[in-house]
Amino acid sequence: MKASVQWVGEETFLVTSESGHRVVMDGNQGATAPSPMEMVLLAAGSCSSVDVVGILKKARQRVDDCRVELSAERAEGPPAVFTRIHMHFIVSGKDVSDKHVERAVRLSADKYCSVSIMLGHSVKVSHDYEVVETD
């Protein structure tokens, strides 16, 4: 995998992925775009969400929505690495099985989400979930 990062002025950078997608990032604590650390947190949540939705679809669960609320704590001094990340999944749908959601979240956390598993080697990563019934 390859990517490039180009400085575009002040503390703003244009990131281009190998697949050609571009993202703006801001080194000024997220003043004009997400900061690199915010992007790491967003990547962990996105990666886990992809897993959870995919696992639930394979289990033929009628999922209408899946959202993950992320919270993180960072070390006080440099480097201000993440020390804790918590992912709270909110899965909405018709007759969605609590057991299936628990399994999907666990499989993502323990086996599939390369981002959160990688972070888990140095950060305490926790997960929980809730199921919301829809009509």
Side-chain angles (χ1 to χ4, degrees):
M1 185 178 296
K2 295 182 178 184
S4 67
V5 178
Q6 180 180 358
W7 177 47
V8 294
E10 300 200 20
E11 293 190 46
T12 305
F13 298 83
L14 179 62
V15 179
T16 305
S17 68
E18 186 173 33
S19 59
H21 298 283
R22 294 181 172 188
V23 176
V24 175
M25 289 200 293
D26 183 350
N28 189 19
Q29 299 178 351
T32 61
S35 72
M37 288 300 284
E38 287 174 316
M39 293 297 284
V40 170
L41 186 62
L42 294 169
S46 299
C47 181
S48 289
S49 294
V50 167
D51 295 336
V52 168
V53 169
I55 292 165
L56 290 172
K57 282 184 174 183
K58 284 181 183 172
R60 295 186 177 11
Q61 296 297 292
R62 294 167 46 190
V63 175
D64 296 327
D65 189 40
C66 178
R67 185 172 77 244
V68 61
E69 295 176 349
L70 303 155
S71 57
E73 296 175 16
R74 295 178 69 180
E76 289 187 27
V81 298
F82 288 125
T83 57
R84 293 179 166 269
I85 295 174
H86 182 72
M87 299 185 192
H88 177 70
F89 289 88
I90 303 163
V91 178
S92 302
K94 180 76 173 151
D95 299 323
V96 175
S97 163
D98 188 79
K99 178 177 74 173
H100 281 291
V101 175
E102 182 208 8
R103 179 178 177 270
V105 170
R106 184 175 25 82
L107 282 171
S108 176
D110 296 342
K111 184 174 183 179
Y112 293 116
C113 179
S114 52
V115 178
S116 66
I117 291 168
M118 178 181 62
L119 290 170
H121 289 287
S122 61
V123 178
K124 179 169 176 22
V125 180
S126 59
H127 305 77
D128 65 10
Y129 68 91
E130 64 183 276
V131 178
V132 177
E133 183 70 19
T134 59
D135 295 328

